[in-house]
């Protein structure tokens, strides 16, 4: 470990990682360049578009604004952490089915913002979805399909839970 590049330790998608890097390097760049998790995208690089959104300790953050030093000891979730054992997350399926993903630059950030929203509010109304995704910009879809995707994912999750309850009887 050099004085300029300390080792920063945190977890990403449940895996412990240790990165020797400049402490002010952006979390976005550490994810993409050091950890090769290129699902997180850069749009504006200024905290305005939400493309680089990841979850950090259960909060949504713009990873272009987070120096990696601030991630020391944190739990980070990126879009790569949504699928489990190769099975897409209900939000990912819904984005595919409803046309919520087009060019895809905004999509990982949208997915993370929607994940955050559904984590705190599993049945959001349309105004709540608008508000939950207000920090994420999309130039392709006009937002309607994205909002429909979130509604579909919330409904699918409810359906899954009901199914599981049925099987548990
Ligand atoms: S790239 Fe981070 S908010 Fe736009
Ligand atoms: S799908 Fe292109 S910016 Fe959203």
């Amino acid at each position: 470990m050099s004085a300029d590049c300390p080792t920063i330790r945190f977890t990403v998608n449940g895996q412990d990682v240790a990165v020797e890097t400049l402490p002010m390097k952006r979390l976005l760049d550490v994810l993409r360049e050091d950890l090769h998790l290129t699902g997180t995208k850069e749009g504006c690089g200024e905290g305005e578009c939400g493309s680089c959104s990841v979850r950090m300790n259960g909060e949504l953050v713009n990873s272009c604004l987070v120096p990696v030093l601030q991630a020391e000891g944190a739990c980070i979730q990126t879009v790569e952490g949504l699928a489990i054992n190769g099975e897409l997350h209900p939000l990912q399926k819904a984005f595919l089915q409803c046309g919520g993903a087009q060019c895809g630059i905004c999509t990982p950030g949208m997915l993370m913002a929607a994940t955050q929203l559904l984590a705190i509010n599993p049945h959001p109304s349309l105004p709540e979805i608008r508000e939950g995704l207000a920090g994420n910009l999309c130039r392709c879809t006009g937002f309607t399909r994205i909002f429909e995707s979130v509604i579909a994912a919330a409904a699918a999750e409810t359906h899954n839970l009901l199914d599981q309850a049925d099987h548990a009887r």
Side-chain angles (χ1 to χ4, degrees), residues 3-18:
D4 287 345
C5 292
T7 300
I8 316 267
R9 292 184 169 79
F10 49 102
T11 71
V12 182
N13 303 327
Q15 303 283 319
D16 292 335
V17 297

Side-chain angles (χ1 to χ4, degrees), residues 28 41-52 62-65:
L28 170 65
K41 301 291 188 253
E42 175 161 13
C44 65
E46 299 177 343
E48 298 291 335
C49 73
S51 294
C52 64
N62 290 324
S63 62
C64 71
L65 296 184

Side-chain angles (χ1 to χ4, degrees), residues 60 110 113-114 116-117 126-136 147:
L60 194 69
M110 289 286 179
Q116 177 68 17
L117 173 65
L126 185 55
E128 288 169 337
I129 294 172
R130 280 182 193 283
E131 190 183 336
L133 301 189
N136 295 70
F147 297 155

Side-chain angles (χ1 to χ4, degrees), residues 30-127:
V30 170
L31 291 170
R32 291 180 55 84
E33 295 169 7
D34 297 76
L35 300 174
H36 309 294
L37 293 169
T38 54
T40 303
K41 301 291 188 253
E42 175 161 13
C44 65
E46 299 177 343
E48 298 291 335
C49 73
S51 294
C52 64
S53 301
V54 299
R55 297 177 79 211
M56 184 161 113
N57 294 334
E59 304 281 343
L60 194 69
V61 298
N62 290 324
S63 62
C64 71
L65 296 184
V66 177
V68 69
L69 180 67
Q70 284 182 10
E72 172 75 44
C75 296
I76 309 283
Q77 185 187 31
T78 69
V79 71
E80 287 90 348
L82 291 183
I84 295 179
N85 296 330
E87 166 107 15
L88 291 181
H89 186 281
L91 273 165
Q92 293 172 306
K93 290 182 189 169
F95 269 66
L96 281 173
Q97 285 162 1
C98 300
Q102 290 186 26
C103 83
I105 292 293
C106 71
T107 306
M110 289 286 179
L111 286 166
M112 299 318 292
T115 300
Q116 177 68 17
L117 173 65
L118 296 186
I120 55 179
N121 180 1
H123 303 291
S125 63
L126 185 55

